[in-house]
Short mmCIF file of all heavy atoms in Angstrom, two decimals:
data_model
loop_
_atom_site.label_atom_id
_atom_site.label_comp_id
_atom_site.label_asym_id
_atom_site.label_seq_id
_atom_site.Cartn_x
_atom_site.Cartn_y
_atom_site.Cartn_z
N GLY A 141 109.18 135.21 123.12
CA GLY A 141 108.12 135.14 124.14
C GLY A 141 107.65 133.74 124.48
O GLY A 141 107.65 132.81 123.63
N ALA A 142 107.21 133.53 125.72
CA ALA A 142 106.83 132.21 126.19
C ALA A 142 105.53 131.77 125.42
O ALA A 142 105.47 130.56 125.11
CB ALA A 142 106.55 132.28 127.74
N ALA A 143 104.64 132.62 125.25
CA ALA A 143 103.34 132.26 124.53
C ALA A 143 103.68 131.75 123.12
O ALA A 143 103.18 130.67 122.73
CB ALA A 143 102.45 133.39 124.50
N ASN A 144 104.60 132.44 122.43
CA ASN A 144 104.93 131.94 121.05
C ASN A 144 105.70 130.66 121.12
O ASN A 144 105.60 129.79 120.32
CB ASN A 144 105.72 133.01 120.31
CG ASN A 144 104.83 134.25 119.94
OD1 ASN A 144 103.60 134.03 119.68
ND2 ASN A 144 105.40 135.35 119.69
N ALA A 145 106.56 130.48 122.16
CA ALA A 145 107.25 129.21 122.35
C ALA A 145 106.33 128.12 122.54
O ALA A 145 106.53 127.03 121.94
CB ALA A 145 108.22 129.36 123.49
N HIS A 146 105.28 128.24 123.40
CA HIS A 146 104.28 127.16 123.56
C HIS A 146 103.56 126.90 122.26
O HIS A 146 103.24 125.72 121.90
CB HIS A 146 103.34 127.58 124.67
CG HIS A 146 103.94 127.65 126.06
ND1 HIS A 146 103.31 128.21 127.14
CD2 HIS A 146 105.14 127.09 126.48
CE1 HIS A 146 104.12 128.08 128.19
NE2 HIS A 146 105.18 127.42 127.86
N THR A 147 103.27 127.94 121.49
CA THR A 147 102.63 127.79 120.22
C THR A 147 103.48 126.97 119.29
O THR A 147 102.98 126.10 118.62
CB THR A 147 102.29 129.16 119.60
OG1 THR A 147 101.32 129.81 120.33
CG2 THR A 147 101.83 129.01 118.16
N MET A 148 104.73 127.28 119.28
CA MET A 148 105.68 126.48 118.41
C MET A 148 105.69 124.99 118.84
O MET A 148 105.88 124.18 117.92
CB MET A 148 107.13 127.08 118.53
CG MET A 148 107.25 128.46 117.76
SD MET A 148 107.11 128.34 116.11
CE MET A 148 108.46 127.17 115.70
N ILE A 149 105.51 124.71 120.09
CA ILE A 149 105.59 123.32 120.54
C ILE A 149 104.28 122.60 120.22
O ILE A 149 104.27 121.50 119.75
CB ILE A 149 105.93 123.26 122.01
CG1 ILE A 149 107.30 123.80 122.37
CG2 ILE A 149 105.72 121.79 122.57
CD1 ILE A 149 107.58 123.86 123.80
N SER A 150 103.15 123.30 120.52
CA SER A 150 101.89 122.51 120.45
C SER A 150 100.95 122.94 119.41
O SER A 150 99.98 122.26 119.06
CB SER A 150 101.16 122.72 121.80
OG SER A 150 100.94 124.06 122.05
N GLY A 151 101.19 124.13 118.67
CA GLY A 151 100.16 124.49 117.68
C GLY A 151 98.84 124.92 118.37
O GLY A 151 98.87 125.23 119.51
N ASP A 152 97.82 124.90 117.56
CA ASP A 152 96.55 125.40 118.14
C ASP A 152 95.57 124.19 118.18
O ASP A 152 95.28 123.49 117.12
CB ASP A 152 95.89 126.50 117.29
CG ASP A 152 94.74 127.06 117.97
OD1 ASP A 152 93.62 126.52 117.85
OD2 ASP A 152 94.81 128.09 118.63
N PRO A 153 94.93 123.89 119.27
CA PRO A 153 94.07 122.66 119.41
C PRO A 153 92.80 122.80 118.52
O PRO A 153 92.23 121.74 118.14
CB PRO A 153 93.67 122.70 120.84
CG PRO A 153 93.93 124.01 121.43
CD PRO A 153 95.04 124.60 120.62
N ALA A 154 92.42 123.98 118.07
CA ALA A 154 91.23 124.04 117.17
C ALA A 154 91.42 123.29 115.85
O ALA A 154 90.42 122.91 115.25
CB ALA A 154 90.91 125.51 116.90
N LEU A 155 92.70 123.16 115.47
CA LEU A 155 92.96 122.44 114.22
C LEU A 155 92.72 120.92 114.36
O LEU A 155 92.61 120.23 113.35
CB LEU A 155 94.34 122.67 113.77
CG LEU A 155 94.68 124.06 113.32
CD1 LEU A 155 96.17 124.21 112.94
CD2 LEU A 155 93.84 124.40 112.07
N ASP A 156 92.55 120.46 115.54
CA ASP A 156 92.32 119.01 115.76
C ASP A 156 90.82 118.82 116.13
O ASP A 156 90.34 117.71 116.41
CB ASP A 156 93.13 118.45 116.90
CG ASP A 156 94.49 118.10 116.36
OD1 ASP A 156 94.66 117.83 115.20
OD2 ASP A 156 95.54 118.21 117.22
N THR A 157 89.96 119.82 116.03
CA THR A 157 88.52 119.64 116.20
C THR A 157 87.96 119.12 114.87
O THR A 157 88.55 119.26 113.83
CB THR A 157 87.89 120.97 116.61
OG1 THR A 157 88.01 121.94 115.57
CG2 THR A 157 88.43 121.57 117.89
N LYS A 158 86.68 118.66 114.99
CA LYS A 158 86.02 118.12 113.75
C LYS A 158 85.98 119.18 112.68
O LYS A 158 86.36 119.02 111.48
CB LYS A 158 84.73 117.63 114.12
CG LYS A 158 83.85 117.17 112.84
CD LYS A 158 82.41 116.80 113.26
CE LYS A 158 81.56 116.51 112.05
NZ LYS A 158 80.11 116.13 112.44
N ILE A 159 85.58 120.41 113.04
CA ILE A 159 85.45 121.52 112.05
C ILE A 159 86.72 122.03 111.48
O ILE A 159 86.87 122.27 110.37
CB ILE A 159 84.58 122.67 112.60
CG1 ILE A 159 84.14 123.61 111.48
CG2 ILE A 159 85.40 123.51 113.62
CD1 ILE A 159 83.05 123.06 110.66
N GLY A 160 87.79 121.99 112.35
CA GLY A 160 89.05 122.45 111.96
C GLY A 160 89.67 121.38 110.94
O GLY A 160 90.30 121.77 109.92
N ARG A 161 89.50 120.13 111.16
CA ARG A 161 90.03 119.15 110.39
C ARG A 161 89.32 119.11 109.01
O ARG A 161 90.01 118.91 107.93
CB ARG A 161 90.01 117.75 111.02
CG ARG A 161 90.88 117.57 112.16
CD ARG A 161 90.64 116.18 112.83
NE ARG A 161 90.88 115.10 111.89
CZ ARG A 161 92.01 114.49 111.76
NH1 ARG A 161 93.10 114.83 112.41
NH2 ARG A 161 92.03 113.44 110.88
N ILE A 162 88.04 119.31 108.99
CA ILE A 162 87.32 119.30 107.77
C ILE A 162 87.82 120.34 106.74
O ILE A 162 88.11 120.08 105.65
CB ILE A 162 85.79 119.49 108.03
CG1 ILE A 162 85.23 118.19 108.50
CG2 ILE A 162 85.09 119.91 106.71
CD1 ILE A 162 83.74 118.33 108.98
N TRP A 163 88.03 121.60 107.24
CA TRP A 163 88.41 122.64 106.46
C TRP A 163 89.87 122.57 106.03
O TRP A 163 90.28 122.95 104.96
CB TRP A 163 88.02 124.02 106.91
CG TRP A 163 86.51 124.18 106.99
CD1 TRP A 163 85.67 124.03 108.04
CD2 TRP A 163 85.71 124.41 105.75
NE1 TRP A 163 84.40 124.14 107.62
CE2 TRP A 163 84.37 124.38 106.27
CE3 TRP A 163 85.91 124.49 104.50
CZ2 TRP A 163 83.33 124.56 105.38
CZ3 TRP A 163 84.92 124.75 103.54
CH2 TRP A 163 83.58 124.72 104.07
N LEU A 164 90.68 122.09 106.94
CA LEU A 164 92.06 121.84 106.70
C LEU A 164 92.25 120.85 105.54
O LEU A 164 93.01 121.01 104.58
CB LEU A 164 92.85 121.59 107.96
CG LEU A 164 94.34 121.40 107.75
CD1 LEU A 164 94.97 122.64 107.16
CD2 LEU A 164 95.02 121.16 109.14
N ARG A 165 91.46 119.75 105.61
CA ARG A 165 91.61 118.71 104.60
C ARG A 165 91.05 119.18 103.30
O ARG A 165 91.60 118.86 102.26
CB ARG A 165 90.75 117.51 105.07
CG ARG A 165 91.40 116.66 106.21
CD ARG A 165 90.56 115.46 106.60
NE ARG A 165 90.69 114.42 105.50
CZ ARG A 165 89.89 113.31 105.47
NH1 ARG A 165 89.11 113.10 106.49
NH2 ARG A 165 90.09 112.61 104.43
N GLY A 166 90.08 120.05 103.37
CA GLY A 166 89.61 120.58 102.08
C GLY A 166 90.71 121.45 101.42
O GLY A 166 90.95 121.37 100.19
N GLU A 167 91.46 122.20 102.22
CA GLU A 167 92.54 123.02 101.64
C GLU A 167 93.67 122.11 101.10
O GLU A 167 94.25 122.34 100.05
CB GLU A 167 93.18 123.88 102.86
CG GLU A 167 94.34 124.72 102.30
CD GLU A 167 94.80 125.65 103.40
OE1 GLU A 167 94.23 125.68 104.58
OE2 GLU A 167 95.85 126.30 103.23
N ILE A 168 93.91 121.02 101.88
CA ILE A 168 94.95 119.98 101.35
C ILE A 168 94.60 119.44 100.01
O ILE A 168 95.34 119.33 99.06
CB ILE A 168 95.18 118.93 102.45
CG1 ILE A 168 95.95 119.48 103.66
CG2 ILE A 168 95.80 117.65 101.80
CD1 ILE A 168 96.05 118.48 104.80
N HIS A 169 93.32 119.08 99.88
CA HIS A 169 92.81 118.55 98.64
C HIS A 169 92.87 119.47 97.49
O HIS A 169 93.27 119.06 96.31
CB HIS A 169 91.36 117.97 98.81
CG HIS A 169 91.20 116.71 99.62
ND1 HIS A 169 90.11 115.90 99.59
CD2 HIS A 169 92.09 116.24 100.51
CE1 HIS A 169 90.33 114.88 100.47
NE2 HIS A 169 91.47 114.99 100.98
N ALA A 170 92.53 120.71 97.73
CA ALA A 170 92.65 121.73 96.63
C ALA A 170 94.09 121.99 96.26
O ALA A 170 94.37 122.20 95.10
CB ALA A 170 91.98 122.97 97.07
N LEU A 171 95.02 121.93 97.28
CA LEU A 171 96.40 122.18 96.98
C LEU A 171 96.92 121.05 96.23
O LEU A 171 97.78 121.19 95.29
CB LEU A 171 97.19 122.39 98.28
CG LEU A 171 97.03 123.72 98.97
CD1 LEU A 171 97.71 123.65 100.37
CD2 LEU A 171 97.57 124.81 98.08
N ARG A 172 96.52 119.88 96.42
CA ARG A 172 96.88 118.66 95.75
C ARG A 172 96.48 118.80 94.23
O ARG A 172 97.30 118.52 93.36
CB ARG A 172 96.34 117.40 96.28
CG ARG A 172 96.79 116.09 95.59
CD ARG A 172 96.15 114.90 96.21
NE ARG A 172 96.58 114.75 97.66
CZ ARG A 172 95.71 114.65 98.67
NH1 ARG A 172 94.49 114.85 98.51
NH2 ARG A 172 96.28 114.56 99.92
N THR A 173 95.27 119.27 93.99
CA THR A 173 94.92 119.49 92.65
C THR A 173 95.76 120.56 91.95
O THR A 173 96.14 120.48 90.74
CB THR A 173 93.40 119.92 92.60
OG1 THR A 173 92.63 118.83 93.13
CG2 THR A 173 92.91 120.21 91.19
N ALA A 174 95.99 121.68 92.71
CA ALA A 174 96.83 122.75 92.15
C ALA A 174 98.19 122.26 91.79
O ALA A 174 98.72 122.60 90.70
CB ALA A 174 96.87 123.92 93.12
#
Side-chain angles (χ1 to χ4, degrees):
N144 286 337
H146 289 165
T147 291
M148 288 291 297
I149 294 175
S150 61
D152 190 279
L155 291 176
D156 281 330
T157 62
K158 175 183 173 181
I159 195 69
R161 289 177 58 92
I162 286 173
W163 291 103
L164 185 53
R165 290 183 65 187
E167 183 180 351
I168 287 174
H169 287 202
L171 286 172
R172 183 179 295 122
T173 299

